[in-house]
Amino acid sequence: MIYGYIRVSTDKQTVENQRFEIKNFCSRQKLQIDGWIEETISGTKAYSKRALGKLLQKVEKDDLIICAELSRLGRNLFMIMEILNICMTKECKVWTIKDNYRLGDDIQSKVLAFAFGLSAEIERNLISQRTREALARKKAEGIRLGRPPGRRSAPEKYKLEKKRELIYQLLKAGISQREIARITGVHRDTVARYMRNILGIPSQAQRATKE
C-alpha cells in the first residue's frame, strides 16, 4: 500500500499544495496512491493523537508513506526520529519530496537505525541520571521520600470522605461492608480501612474476634 500523508497546522493553510507535490512526484515515479491521510493539526501534537498515529498502527512491511517533507511528520527532531523508528521496525518505507529523504532497506536506513537506538539509550541514561540526582538532592535536603505517611490527618483525601454521611446511614441500617462497598463503588477493603482509620469503627471481622 502507498499512502500520501498531508498535514497543515491551521485552517488558513491549504492541503492542495502538498497534494499537488505528492501527485506530481508519484506521476514521475509511476506510483499510485492507495490512500490519502489529511489532517489540520499542529505538528507539536503527539503523533499518537493524530491521524498519523492510526496510520502507523496499520502500516505493514513494504508499505510506503509519502509526504512533502519531514516537518509534516512532526515539529521536533525526537518526534520525527520516533516516528521513523516505528516505520523501520515495521519495515515500512518513508519518502519525502522536498528533503529527498528515503527510509528503506539501504545503508542510510541502517545507519539511522543505529542512530535511533543510540539516541534512545542515551536519553534513557540521562533520564535515569537526572532522577537519581533529584532523589539524592531531596534526601540531602531532608525531604521524606517514598509514600506519604498515614492519611488520618487528611481524611478529605480519601475516596469515601464525600460519602461519610451515606456510610453512617447504611451502617445504622445494618448494611454489611460488602454491600456498602458495592453501593459506593469501591473495594470492600477500602471501606474497611476508611471505617477503621477515619471513622474509628472496627471492621466486622475485628468485632467478631473481640466478641
Side-chain angles (χ1 to χ4, degrees), residues 2 53 57 65 82 87 101 107 145-146 162 171 188 195:
I2 300 177
Q57 289 179 352
I65 299 174
E82 187 174 353
C87 292
Y101 177 81
I107 186 64
L145 302 178
K162 293 181 180 179
L171 288 172
R188 182 176 58 182
M195 291 173 57

Side-chain angles (χ1 to χ4, degrees), residues 151 155-164 167 184-187 190 193-194:
R151 302 179 184 178
E156 69 278 358
K157 293 184 179 179
Y158 270 68
K159 294 180 180 179
L160 296 174
E161 184 60 22
K162 293 181 180 179
K163 301 176 181 178
R164 178 191 286 254
I167 293 173
T184 55
V186 299
H187 194 275
T190 302
R193 284 195 300 271
Y194 179 78

Side-chain angles (χ1 to χ4, degrees), residues 1-5 32-37 55 58 64 66:
M1 294 284 287
I2 300 177
Y3 300 96
Y5 176 71
Q32 179 67 43
I33 296 292
D34 298 306
W36 290 94
I37 295 85
L55 174 61
K58 73 177 183 179
L64 170 62
I66 301 176

Side-chain angles (χ1 to χ4, degrees), residues 75-107:
R75 293 305 298 272
N76 66 72
L77 177 61
F78 286 108
M79 182 186 294
I80 293 173
M81 289 177 66
E82 187 174 353
I83 291 168
L84 293 178
N85 192 34
I86 291 172
C87 292
M88 288 184 62
T89 302
K90 304 186 78 169
E91 299 183 61
C92 166
K93 293 174 285 187
V94 178
W95 292 2
T96 67
I97 300 170
K98 291 182 179 179
D99 316 286
N100 195 30
Y101 177 81
R102 302 289 183 271
L103 177 70
D105 300 323
D106 55 11
I107 186 64

Side-chain angles (χ1 to χ4, degrees), residues 142-194:
I143 299 175
R144 184 185 180 97
L145 302 178
R147 296 182 64 182
R151 302 179 184 178
R152 182 184 296 272
S153 59
E156 69 278 358
K157 293 184 179 179
Y158 270 68
K159 294 180 180 179
L160 296 174
E161 184 60 22
K162 293 181 180 179
K163 301 176 181 178
R164 178 191 286 254
E165 188 59 33
L166 171 62
I167 293 173
Y168 272 130
Q169 295 301 323
L170 293 173
L171 288 172
K172 284 182 179 179
I175 304 300
S176 68
Q177 289 182 15
R178 182 188 297 273
E179 188 63 16
I180 292 174
R182 189 190 66 78
I183 293 171
T184 55
V186 299
H187 194 275
R188 182 176 58 182
D189 292 342
T190 302
V191 173
R193 284 195 300 271
Y194 179 78

Side-chain angles (χ1 to χ4, degrees), residues 23-47:
K23 280 186 173 181
N24 276 353
F25 174 81
C26 290
S27 178
R28 294 194 302 270
Q29 300 292 326
K30 295 181 171 54
L31 299 173
Q32 179 67 43
I33 296 292
D34 298 306
W36 290 94
I37 295 85
E38 302 177 6
E39 54 184 345
T40 302
I41 192 169
S42 170
T44 58
K45 191 79 171 180
Y47 64 85

